[in-house]
């Protein structure tokens, strides 16, 4: 009996020690949780990386042996293009000025190409060579080879000495090319964008294969005036339309500095 009493006293002592240790462990654990939980308010979040302000552009240069007399070589644009802000394009024609707003986040490389070409007088003196009034309603310009040619010789096959990929395709837009936008022409193959562009003066159901460069901000009445005069139907057997009967000549095309 004495031995059993001694064993019982030892068990009670051991339990008391373990109980005290567990209580201490819970207090420490609770204190750590409280410090972590309450101290988190003083911590600052790591700043997220800012969105890029530029992008790389890839220009596919046409080999010398593949160039025709309709190709105008003014070198290549820079490989880096800004993706921030907007630019204003001004198309100064014999009928008045046409203004266009370009969003660099949507079309950085196309804008860089226009800026380069404009700085080198690429478009100066060229004529808007094609007008379509049925099915789609567009006025097409940007072929430097038409400079100085007779009206009936304009075939719209000219461009710069390079091509590049399409941007800002209106895949989910209906109509994809509404009145008031300006878009880039191409051959129908990916990566065939050059210098030719078309101004849409009436909602047009084209396939979403052509870069939407920007929005006309002024001078749409000039395009409508040209459209109202009709065309000579010269391209009826090809892509449709013809040379505008009311000639429109680009005296100069300029691009402003980017604006935030």
């Amino acid at each position: 009996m004495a031995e059993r009493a001694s064993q019982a006293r030892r068990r009670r002592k051991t339990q008391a020690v373990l109980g005290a240790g567990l209580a201490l462990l819970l207090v420490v654990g609770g204190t750590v949780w409280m410090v972590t939980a309450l101290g988190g308010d003083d911590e600052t979040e790591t700043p997220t990386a800012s969105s890029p302000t530029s992008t790389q552009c890839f220009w596919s240069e046409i080999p010398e042996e593949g160039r025709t007399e309709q190709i105008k070589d003014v070198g290549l644009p820079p490989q880096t293009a800004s993706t921030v802000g907007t630019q204003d394009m001004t198309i100064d024609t014999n009928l008045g000025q046409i203004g266009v707003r370009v969003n660099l986040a949507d079309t950085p490389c196309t804008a860089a190409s226009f800026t380069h070409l404009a700085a080198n007088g690429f478009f100066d003196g060229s004529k808007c060579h094609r007008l379509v009034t049925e099915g789609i309603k567009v006025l097409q310009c940007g072929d430097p080879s038409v400079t100085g040619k007779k009206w009936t010789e304009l075939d719209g096959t000219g461009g710069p000495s390079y091509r590049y990929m399409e941007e800002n395709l209106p895949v989910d837009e209906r109509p994809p090319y509404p009145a008031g936008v300006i878009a880039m022409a191409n051959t129908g193959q990916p990566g065939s964008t050059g210098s030719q562009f078309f101004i849409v003066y009436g909602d047009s159901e084209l396939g979403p294969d052509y870069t939407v460069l920007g929005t006309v901000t002024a001078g749409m009445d000039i395009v409508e005036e040209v459209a109202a005069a009709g065309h000579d139907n010269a391209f009826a057997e090809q892509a449709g339309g013809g040379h505008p009967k009311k000639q429109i000549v680009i005296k100069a095309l300029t691009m402003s500095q980017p604006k935030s």
Side-chain angles (χ1 to χ4, degrees), residues 79-198:
Q79 289 188 322
T80 302
S82 173
T83 59
V84 177
T86 62
Q87 280 183 279
D88 291 325
M89 177 194 297
T90 302
I91 308 171
D92 188 13
T93 79
N94 61 313
L95 303 177
Q97 288 189 345
I98 300 172
V100 180
R101 177 63 52 83
V102 178
N103 188 338
L104 297 182
D106 294 332
T107 56
C109 294
T110 309
S113 175
F114 263 85
T115 301
H116 171 74
L117 294 176
N120 285 278
F122 183 90
F123 300 99
D124 299 358
S126 65
K127 300 172 184 177
C128 295
H129 62 277
R130 180 184 172 217
L131 173 69
V132 185
T133 56
E134 295 180 5
I136 61 174
K137 297 182 178 181
V138 302
L139 175 65
Q140 189 166 331
C141 316
D143 181 347
S145 69
V146 304
T147 303
K149 289 190 176 183
K150 294 181 181 179
W151 206 232
T152 55
E153 296 176 341
L154 311 185
D155 59 6
T157 59
S161 58
Y162 60 89
R163 298 291 183 268
Y164 55 99
M165 288 300 298
E166 292 66 44
E167 302 176 297
N168 195 31
L169 300 179
V171 176
D172 299 320
E173 301 295 328
R174 290 296 177 272
Y177 298 93
V181 303
I182 181 170
M184 301 301 298
N186 61 39
T187 66
Q189 298 298 317
S192 61
T193 297
S195 63
Q196 293 193 34
F197 59 91
F198 55 92

Side-chain angles (χ1 to χ4, degrees), residues 239-251:
H243 307 121
K245 290 182 178 179
K246 190 176 186 66
Q247 295 190 27
I248 176 169
V249 182
I250 298 177
K251 297 193 295 183

Side-chain angles (χ1 to χ4, degrees), residues 62-73 143-145 149 155-161 163:
I62 300 173
E64 290 283 351
E65 60 273 16
R67 300 180 188 181
T68 65
E69 61 179 4
Q70 285 80 18
I71 297 299
K72 184 176 180 179
D73 186 0
D143 181 347
S145 69
K149 289 190 176 183
D155 59 6
T157 59
S161 58
R163 298 291 183 268

